[in-house]
């Protein structure tokens, strides 16, 4: 642990562990607050792609103006051996954990409340040209006030001058079809992924699935969106209409994040007013 980090923070117990390092709770005496301390062991980075992600993630997170629904970096310490990021402290469970515990999906009002905050985060990223590229329940965190925090910007990138990106990034169940088809794509890939997250919240199952990764990808590319009556019996027609606008195979027909946000309260206002 570098001296500068030790001088500024008291590192406490380990609260998580990932592929490249550990996350601990830490305390800042000057701010009188607790944070998460994410330490990445550079020796565990397997290839150049991992090293590129390590460099890009903090740059993108620091570039984005603070937003209440996006995980924020408060400090960073770089050395030859490791990179340590001081982040918002979140609860140990994710949206994935909430959905699994629900055993069949979350109630529509609860799903709507989470989705509104997720769309706020995605729209904020897109306003500044950032595409997340890996939106999934595992990356939707919650702070001590149960407020959504979108995290893990390791696959994120800036939209280039042409307004498009390339390369296959994301997670099988949540990745947009245009990514898998090898086309250049824009920020609407995040809207597709957010739509799949909403579908999973409401039903407890993904809209596209298969026995293997290849079969999942084939189902995603077909994009045949269905609402099994038994699973969606308690889901409103407004929610299903909204999902069709998010999980649209044709990006030109798919809502942008801003459009989704504007339409959201039109569909779900009875949950908030």
């Amino acid at each position: 642990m570098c001296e500068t980090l030790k001088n500024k923070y008291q590192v406490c117990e380990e609260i998580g562990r990932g592929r490249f390092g550990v996350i601990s709770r830490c305390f800042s005496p000057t701010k009188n607050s607790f944070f998460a301390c994410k330490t990445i062991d550079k020796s565990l980075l397997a290839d150049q792609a991992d090293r590129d992600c390590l460099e890009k993630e903090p740059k993108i997170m620091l570039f984005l103006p603070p937003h209440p629904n996006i995980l924020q970096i408060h400090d960073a310490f770089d050395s030859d051996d490791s990179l340590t990021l001081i982040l918002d402290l979140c609860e140990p469970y994710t949206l994935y954990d909430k959905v699994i515990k629900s055993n069949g999906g979350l109630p529509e009002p609860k799903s709507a409340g989470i989705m509104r905050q997720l769309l706020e985060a995605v729209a904020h990223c897109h306003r500044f040209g950032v595409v997340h590229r890996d939106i999934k329940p595992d990356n939707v965190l919650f702070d001590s006030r149960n407020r959504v925090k979108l995290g893990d910007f390791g696959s994120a990138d800036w939209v280039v001058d042409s307004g498009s990106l390339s390369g296959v990034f994301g997670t099988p169940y949540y990745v947009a079809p245009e990514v898998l088809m090898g086309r250049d794509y824009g920020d609407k890939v995040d809207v597709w992924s957010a739509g799949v997250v909403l579908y999973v919240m409401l039903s407890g199952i993904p809209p596209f699935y298969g026995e293997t990764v290849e079969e999942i990808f084939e189902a995603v590319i077909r994009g045949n969106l269905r609402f099994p009556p038994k699973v969606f019996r308690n889901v409103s027609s407004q929610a299903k209409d909204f999902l069709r606008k998010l999980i649209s195979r044709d990006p030109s027909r798919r809502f942008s994040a801003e459009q989704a946000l504007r339409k959201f309260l039109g569909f779900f206002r009875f949950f908030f007013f």
Side-chain angles (χ1 to χ4, degrees), residues 215-240:
E215 288 181 4
I216 296 169
F217 286 168
E218 289 171 4
V220 169
I221 290 171
R222 285 195 300 271
N224 187 11
L225 184 65
R226 295 176 179 175
F227 301 102
K230 186 176 180 181
V231 178
F232 279 84
R233 63 185 179 276
N234 295 321
V235 177
S236 69
S237 59
Q238 291 97 330
K240 286 181 273 192

Side-chain angles (χ1 to χ4, degrees), residues 36-216:
C37 174
K38 179 180 179 180
T39 300
I40 299 160
D41 184 345
K42 292 183 179 180
S43 69
L44 298 177
L45 302 176
D47 52 32
Q48 188 59 46
D50 286 341
R51 288 187 283 273
D52 290 343
C53 287
L54 176 65
E55 290 181 6
K56 189 176 289 182
E57 181 178 18
K59 288 180 182 177
I60 287 177
M61 293 180 75
L62 289 167
F63 166 79
L64 279 172
H67 188 278
N69 297 123
I70 294 177
L71 197 69
Q72 186 178 347
I73 291 182
H74 296 271
D75 226 334
F77 304 91
D78 198 7
S79 71
D80 293 338
D81 303 321
S82 65
L83 172 66
T84 299
L85 304 176
I86 305 299
L87 306 160
D88 292 332
L89 181 64
C90 290
E91 296 295 328
Y93 54 82
T94 67
L95 179 56
Y96 176 82
D97 299 313
K98 283 179 180 278
V99 172
I100 292 297
K101 188 177 179 181
S102 73
N103 193 27
L106 304 174
E108 191 169 333
K110 188 168 187 177
S111 297
I114 294 170
M115 186 64 180
R116 178 179 60 83
Q117 296 176 77
L118 178 57
L119 286 174
E120 292 276 9
V122 174
H124 183 74
C125 290
H126 292 181
R127 288 180 201 120
F128 293 93
V130 171
V131 185
H132 187 282
R133 298 202 292 187
D134 196 20
I135 292 172
K136 57 184 178 181
D138 315 60
N139 291 335
V140 178
L141 313 174
F142 300 90
D143 65 12
S144 60
R145 296 163 58 187
N146 210 31
R147 183 171 54 185
V148 164
K149 295 281 187 178
L150 177 60
D152 196 346
F153 282 73
S155 298
D157 206 346
W158 290 278
V159 176
V160 296
D161 293 339
S162 63
S164 63
L165 295 169
S166 61
V168 178
F169 291 84
T171 300
Y173 289 116
Y174 302 91
V175 65
E178 59 266 32
V179 175
L180 299 176
M181 295 166 74
R183 300 173 180 169
D184 288 351
Y185 51 85
D187 56 18
K188 286 186 178 181
V189 298
D190 285 346
V191 177
W192 171 284
S193 301
V196 176
V197 169
L198 177 58
Y199 187 105
V200 170
M201 279 196 284
L202 291 169
S203 66
I205 59 172
F208 313 109
Y209 48 87
E211 295 298 320
T212 65
V213 171
E214 290 75 16
E215 288 181 4
I216 296 169

